[in-house]
Amino acid sequence: MLRAAIELFNRKGYDATSIGDVADELGVTKSAVYHHVPSKDHLLAQALDEALDELEATVARAAAADGSAYVRLRGAVRHSVEVLVDHQPAVTLLLRVHGNSETEQAALERRRAIDARLATLVGDAAAEGALRADLEPELVSRLLFGMVNSLVEWYRASGPVDVEQLADAVTAIAFEGLDAPR
Amino acid sequence: MLRAAIELFNRKGYDATSIGDVADELGVTKSAVYHHVPSKDHLLAQALDEALDELEATVARAAAADGSAYVRLRGAVRHSVEVLVDHQPAVTLLLRVHGNSETEQAALERRRAIDARLATLVGDAAAEGALRADLEPELVSRLLFGMVNSLVEWYRASGPVDVEQLADAVTAIAFEGLDAPR
């Protein structure tokens, strides 16, 4: 049921989707849906929790890993790509949330905490001297994870690029850049 | 009126915004709004045209500019950043469109044509030998302009980073990468 709800929220928009639409999608009655979840907001909260739990775990694992901050940052980028692909519908929904309800506000709060931990990791890698010194860590973090997050809008796991190739491409562009090696 | 409508569409979502909301925002009557525009869809179309006209002009200018494909690609990235900042509300709306109406479908069609021209430019720069050869131009184009487009969700022109610094940061990360120079 959660899968069907997330798919509808992403396709039609949360506001334009009703519990009746979720029931129709599943071929069941509205009361069958209400037997499992008390409200549409409850489905949204479950979907956002799925994405946030995974992203928080990824960032926590990266922060606690062995190695330099640079190695941990590269790991965080790579594992974020994997989470986005593995939980693409839920993360897509999360990234489209703009704080129009208490549930959405709570999700944005958790997202900001994740972003802050990633920005700290970028700052630590910069402090090690591993990153170019002319860019602010917060700006770097925004653009780096902006590139990562953008993939939910176009990536298709059934397409020609598998998740490892995608993670390789993201880390190669971000850390080594597009310029041909000299 | 278009400014107020775009701001409401971005804040509340297009579906959740009514012509009455636009009128309230402007402190006028609904019939005053209908005196200027026949429908909410018409406001959406105007907003999307604003963003698409600017992006198309930027890509056309980049394609027609002097210099190598690499120089033209860097220019396209830089000028895209400038258009996104100068027309941030309209571009934000465009990037959130998912094809739920004929107007949205037409906008997505124009967006795909812009993306295709940018991918061609990436391919031309790769064919010159200016870009690393291990990544597919289409994948590079998706990630590169994914990073560029992501800025509409967080950038504030009134904040500490001006548009030139932002364009510098995007081009530096994309082409030279985050790694400290060796």
Side-chain angles (χ1 to χ4, degrees), chain A residues 127-148:
Chain A
E128 282 176 359
L131 303 186
R132 55 189 301 149
D134 59 339
L135 300 174
E136 283 295 322
E138 174 150 355
L139 179 57
V140 167
S141 185
R142 293 278 199 185
L143 291 170
L144 173 55
F145 289 95
M147 175 164 64
V148 171

Side-chain angles (χ1 to χ4, degrees), chain A residues 88-171:
Chain A
Q88 192 169 355
V91 177
T92 302
L93 190 61
L94 174 67
L95 295 175
R96 292 183 188 168
V97 149
H98 292 102
N100 296 326
S101 66
E102 276 183 39
T103 296
E104 294 194 1
Q105 287 288 350
L108 284 186
E109 195 62 43
R110 285 177 71 187
R111 227 196 118 186
R112 274 192 286 268
I114 292 168
D115 289 345
R117 292 189 74 168
L118 291 169
T120 298
L121 197 50
V122 171
D124 291 349
E128 282 176 359
L131 303 186
R132 55 189 301 149
D134 59 339
L135 300 174
E136 283 295 322
E138 174 150 355
L139 179 57
V140 167
S141 185
R142 293 278 199 185
L143 291 170
L144 173 55
F145 289 95
M147 175 164 64
V148 171
N149 290 340
S150 72
L151 69 88
V152 302
E153 296 293 342
W154 58 266
Y155 181 70
R156 295 293 166 263
S158 57
V161 180
D162 72 24
V163 63
E164 291 310 307
Q165 290 171 313
L166 181 63
D168 288 345
V170 171
T171 47

Side-chain angles (χ1 to χ4, degrees), chain A residues 11 70 96 98 100 129-132 139-140 142-143 146-147 150 153-154 169 172-180, chain B residues 11 70 96 98 100 129-132 139-140 142-143 146-147 150 153-154 169 172-180:
Chain A
R11 176 151 47 93
Y70 178 77
R96 292 183 188 168
H98 292 102
N100 296 326
L131 303 186
R132 55 189 301 149
L139 179 57
V140 167
R142 293 278 199 185
L143 291 170
M147 175 164 64
S150 72
E153 296 293 342
W154 58 266
I173 296 172
F175 293 97
E176 295 149 35
L178 287 173
D179 286 352
Chain B
R11 177 151 48 93
Y70 178 78
R96 291 184 188 167
H98 292 101
N100 296 327
L131 302 186
R132 55 189 303 149
L139 179 57
V140 166
R142 293 278 198 184
L143 291 169
M147 175 163 65
S150 72
E153 295 293 342
W154 58 267
I173 296 173
F175 293 98
E176 295 149 35
L178 287 172
D179 285 353

Side-chain angles (χ1 to χ4, degrees), chain B residues 126-153:
Chain B
E128 281 175 0
L131 302 186
R132 55 189 303 149
D134 60 340
L135 299 174
E136 284 295 323
E138 173 149 355
L139 179 57
V140 166
S141 185
R142 293 278 198 184
L143 291 169
L144 173 55
F145 289 94
M147 175 163 65
V148 171
N149 290 341
S150 72
L151 69 88
V152 301
E153 295 293 342

